[in-house]
Amino acid sequence: MLDIKKIRENPTAMQAQLDRRKGGFSLQPIVELDIQQKAIEATRSELQARSNEIGKTVGEKMQAKVAPNSPEILALKEQGTQFKQQLSELEPREKEIQQQIYSLLLQIPNIPSASAPDGASEEENVEVRRWGDEYIPANSAELLPHWEIGEKTGILNFERSAKIAQSRFVTLFGAGAALERALISFMLDRQTKAGYTEVSPPALVNSASLTATGQLPKFAEESFRCAEDDLWLIPTAEVPVTNLYRGEILDSSQLPIWHCAYTPCFRREAGSAGRDTRGLIRLHQFNKIELVKFVHPDTSEEEHQKLVKDAEAILEALQLPYRTMELCTGDLGANAAKCYDLEVWLPSAGKYREISSCSNFYDFQARRADLRFRETGKKGTQFIHTLNGSGLAVGRTMAAIIENYQQPDSTIQIPQVLQPYLGREIL
RNA sequence: GGAGAGAUGGCCGAGCGGUUGAAGGCGCAGCACUGGAAAUGCUGUUUGGGGGAAACUUUAACGAGGGUUCGAAUCCCUCUCUCUCCGCCA
């Protein structure tokens, strides 16, 4: 959520920054409602002051043993009733306008960081680095996509999963299931060593949580919902973990807080019919290790760079070729101010595919989540900066391993760092 | 799921219709005392909105939302959460 004060103070500058996104978001209606709201508030507050005064006076008279039904008191009561009547017209109007402002604000995306590159679409994302050798075998006919290898070796099963659930679900068998478990352990071990505190949060969250991180109201159709209970299946651990400190005021000495979490993630993939229908790339349920940071605003740029490094470290340890892309304003998610995507090399497709998205939200989520901190010993509060990134998506990592480590005989070599976890070298 | 109890400031805890943003204690910060500390004493110590350069001022908030009243932390209703007992169940 954007800062209404900043919008009020400098609407044109804010609008110009917002327009770097395209999409035609207008602050104008908010500005107008805000003016109305302030006018009503001034009147209401004045009326309330006078009404409070009467209440006080009556109290004083009663203490002084003035008879409750004396003309003096009755006159005051009458006045009070009149104020109350006036207030009862103003109050609902003010609330209504406040509600309108709030719901409009909830729909406005974040202002892109000054350093985010301008651009219209993903075409204009900027490659910041590339690591490892793209695996292109001499005889590319031998090269199989991961789902074919997976089905051949029996470690992935999509058909039976469709029977028990729907399409876009997978069941892992035997060494496949073990490989996933190994990856989860490896990633968590690695990130805990890097300084993140592991948490294991609920996988169902309420609407308030989804609103705080920015999935609601705009992306309701992307999440699975348990309507009876006002609970939703989490689309990412970002939601429960970021909400951990919602509504709290932390002390600056507690910052930064770094968490990593392994959770299943659930997405309806409503807008992606026909895309990535095979394999592990786009499932309704997948596992992910998420990194979430709560930091002092002064350090958030630096913390962001470190977070990207922590995600990249996993790919490097697994010896998977990748590139790091900085998203342009046209491809930036609605909540992010700045974002790097890590893309892993998938030989069967002959291209890089997103495997981690590392975002800095600045105070956008914190404002929605009322997530503040106080500088030790000082007065007043500020909003925390929140950041997160995948470290990494487990299914996509499996796909990348299967494809990049496939042997001519359709077996899969196990990356060295995973061998201690699996107790084998070949799968 | 049934029955009961409860939710107050960073924490503990009083208040149960009248000038209470809220006694008291703890904690924390500053000052005094001290060679330094402990102990002691004094002072301060919630947040949001509006106005103001500031001092300050006004308004709101005692789990959340409604209601009664001139006036609500205190009374009524709904919801959420916590605890105890019973039932059910991984």
Side-chain angles (χ1 to χ4, degrees), chain A residues 106 205 207-223 232-240 242-243 267 334-335 361 364-365 368 388:
Chain A
L106 281 184
V205 295
S207 298
S209 294
L210 278 165
T211 306
T213 35
Q215 281 76 20
L216 287 178
K218 291 194 88 175
F219 305 108
E221 69 288 348
E222 255 309 304
S223 293
W232 307 70
L233 278 78
I234 56 170
T236 157
E238 162 191 350
V239 180
T242 306
N243 274 280
R267 299 189 182 176
N335 306 316
F361 303 94
F364 186 84
Q365 288 184 324
R368 285 170 166 252
N388 68 54

Side-chain angles (χ1 to χ4, degrees), chain A residues 77 94 123 137 143 215 251-252 279 343 389-390 399 402 406:
Chain A
K77 283 193 182 184
E94 191 186 354
E123 308 297 313
L143 199 133
Q215 281 76 20
D251 190 89
S252 61
E343 298 181 341
S390 348
I402 294 171
Q406 63 182 294

Side-chain angles (χ1 to χ4, degrees), chain A residues 265-337:
Chain A
C265 303
F266 304 89
R267 299 189 182 176
R268 293 189 63 229
E269 297 297 349
S272 40
R275 292 221 311 264
D276 306 313
T277 48
R278 308 200 66 186
L280 298 170
I281 300 302
R282 195 176 295 279
L283 298 175
H284 286 309
Q285 175 182 345
F286 61 97
N287 292 313
K288 182 157 61 66
I289 277 70
E290 185 75 2
L291 309 174
V292 178
K293 287 184 171 186
F294 303 85
V295 311
H296 192 291
D298 293 349
T299 65
S300 81
E301 284 293 343
E302 183 190 326
E303 292 278 9
H304 191 196
Q305 298 301 325
K306 274 200 263 178
L307 183 119
V308 175
K309 289 281 175 204
D310 290 330
E312 287 174 346
I314 302 289
L315 288 166
E316 289 173 25
L318 292 169
Q319 299 275 299
L320 291 170
Y322 71 89
R323 61 178 193 179
T324 304
M325 307 294 289
E326 173 159 19
L327 301 197
C328 71
T329 51
D331 198 28
L332 205 54
N335 306 316

Side-chain angles (χ1 to χ4, degrees), chain A residues 330-371:
Chain A
D331 198 28
L332 205 54
N335 306 316
K338 190 175 171 71
C339 180
Y340 296 94
D341 273 3
L342 308 190
E343 298 181 341
V344 72
W345 178 247
L346 283 187
S348 76
K351 59 182 181 190
Y352 287 96
R353 289 303 304 260
E354 179 191 331
I355 195 166
S356 171
S357 194
C358 302
S359 305
N360 190 347
F361 303 94
Y362 289 2
D363 60 3
F364 186 84
Q365 288 184 324
R367 188 166 274 114
R368 285 170 166 252
D370 190 22
L371 176 44

Side-chain angles (χ1 to χ4, degrees), chain A residues 376-422:
Chain A
T376 311
K378 287 193 185 161
K379 280 214 152 200
T381 60
Q382 298 176 61
F383 287 106
I384 286 174
H385 279 197
T386 60
L387 300 88
N388 68 54
S390 348
L392 304 166
V394 179
R396 290 188 179 186
T397 308
M398 287 248 297
I401 289 173
I402 294 171
E403 293 200 6
N404 283 282
Y405 282 83
Q406 63 182 294
Q407 307 296 304
D409 62 355
S410 288
T411 59
I412 304 151
Q413 206 195 317
I414 301 294
Q416 215 161 24
V417 288
L418 288 183
Q419 288 174 13
Y421 288 88
L422 274 164

